[in-house]
Amino acid sequence: MALTQFQKTELNRRVDKIFHAPANAAVRGHEPEIAFVANLSGNLDFIHSSIKDAVSSLKKHDRMFQNMRSNVVYWKRNAIYSKVTPMSFILMGKVFSDCGSLEDIVDESVDNKTDLDDLCAYLKLYHARCRCILLFMDCSCEELERREFDITDREKVMQSLNPFLKYRLLIVTRDKLVTGTELMIKVVNRNGAE
């Protein structure tokens, strides 16, 4: 088990807030969709367990997640790949069955970078329909802040987070949850300090 009971409760609360935010209103005729981003540069067992715990917690928390369309975004050095993956497959442990051959199935025409700014651009371009995007990181929030959120181009991150991604993104670290809005505020503050 990667997520504690407190983290699961906090995750449920934050995801509810994301889904019911006025800026994230449902588009008529579109079923709600969620994406789970797996950072494959960390401990794969921790990331896999965290995603399974999150799915299990969300499904128990609200019936809305019982048949919701879900995607898994595999994020690895020089590779970003998405796959429509039912939550039941995630719970059965089949989410990482083909990630050993990730380099073989990556589309070369897609942005294949490892920085958070490139990931945000990818999510804005390919997952705009997702009303909630959970990014799982295998580090503490303090460590992620020390690494400056793995951002190389702050302006690109700001463009990617606006207008809607900042309301839909939730970064799940080992000890804390950080929303896209909080990330944007930290990026702006760092820009102002420079």
Side-chain angles (χ1 to χ4, degrees):
M1 185 158 91
L3 299 179
T4 65
Q5 189 57 46
F6 176 76
Q7 287 173 312
K8 290 178 188 177
T9 303
E10 184 68 11
L11 178 81
N12 292 340
R13 189 182 69 76
R14 295 272 187 117
V15 169
D16 273 347
K17 193 172 180 180
I18 288 170
F19 269 98
H20 297 97
N24 196 13
V27 177
R28 197 166 145 196
H30 288 197
E31 292 297 318
E33 198 169 324
I34 191 168
F36 301 94
V37 182
N39 182 355
L40 303 181
S41 63
N43 179 337
L44 209 62
D45 290 332
F46 175 78
I47 298 295
H48 185 210
S49 297
S50 296
I51 292 174
K52 277 178 72 172
D53 288 350
V55 168
S56 175
S57 180
L58 290 170
K59 281 177 133 332
K60 288 177 187 171
H61 173 67
D62 195 332
R63 291 181 53 110
M64 171 176 69
F65 297 101
Q66 294 301 321
N67 293 314
M68 184 178 289
R69 180 183 167 113
S70 63
N71 305 284
V72 175
V73 178
Y74 301 95
W75 177 36
K76 191 175 181 180
R77 185 160 209 46
N78 299 322
I80 301 174
Y81 174 73
S82 299
K83 188 174 181 183
V84 175
T85 309
M87 289 188 194
S88 57
F89 279 39
I90 295 171
L91 290 176
M92 289 188 292
K94 296 184 179 190
V95 75
F96 291 120
S97 60
D98 64 351
C99 64
S101 61
L102 183 60
E103 283 80 10
D104 301 333
I105 55 177
V106 170
D107 182 358
E108 293 300 322
S109 65
V110 175
D111 298 324
N112 294 324
K113 304 274 172 61
T114 186
D115 302 321
L116 186 66
D117 37 323
D118 294 313
L119 175 68
C120 287
Y122 178 87
L123 292 173
K124 182 177 181 178
L125 186 62
Y126 294 104
H127 292 281
R129 288 182 50 174
C130 293
R131 288 188 44 216
C132 182
I133 300 171
L134 302 175
L135 168 57
F136 293 86
M137 302 291 289
D138 178 29
C139 62
S140 68
C141 188
E142 184 179 316
E143 183 183 338
L144 191 59
E145 284 186 31
R146 245 191 338 267
R147 294 187 335 223
E148 296 184 359
F149 294 95
D150 297 328
I151 296 171
T152 56
D153 185 347
R154 296 189 186 290
E155 193 59 39
K156 187 174 181 180
V157 170
M158 298 291 283
Q159 290 173 356
S160 297
L161 289 173
N162 276 318
F164 59 84
L165 189 59
K166 64 185 173 193
Y167 300 116
R168 299 175 183 184
L169 182 65
L170 184 61
I171 301 171
V172 182
T173 64
R174 283 189 175 265
D175 60 345
K176 194 175 175 184
L177 305 175
V178 179
T179 65
T181 305
E182 292 169 326
L183 172 65
M184 191 165 179
I185 290 169
K186 290 175 193 247
V187 169
V188 167
N189 287 341
R190 289 208 199 284
N191 277 347
E194 292 175 355

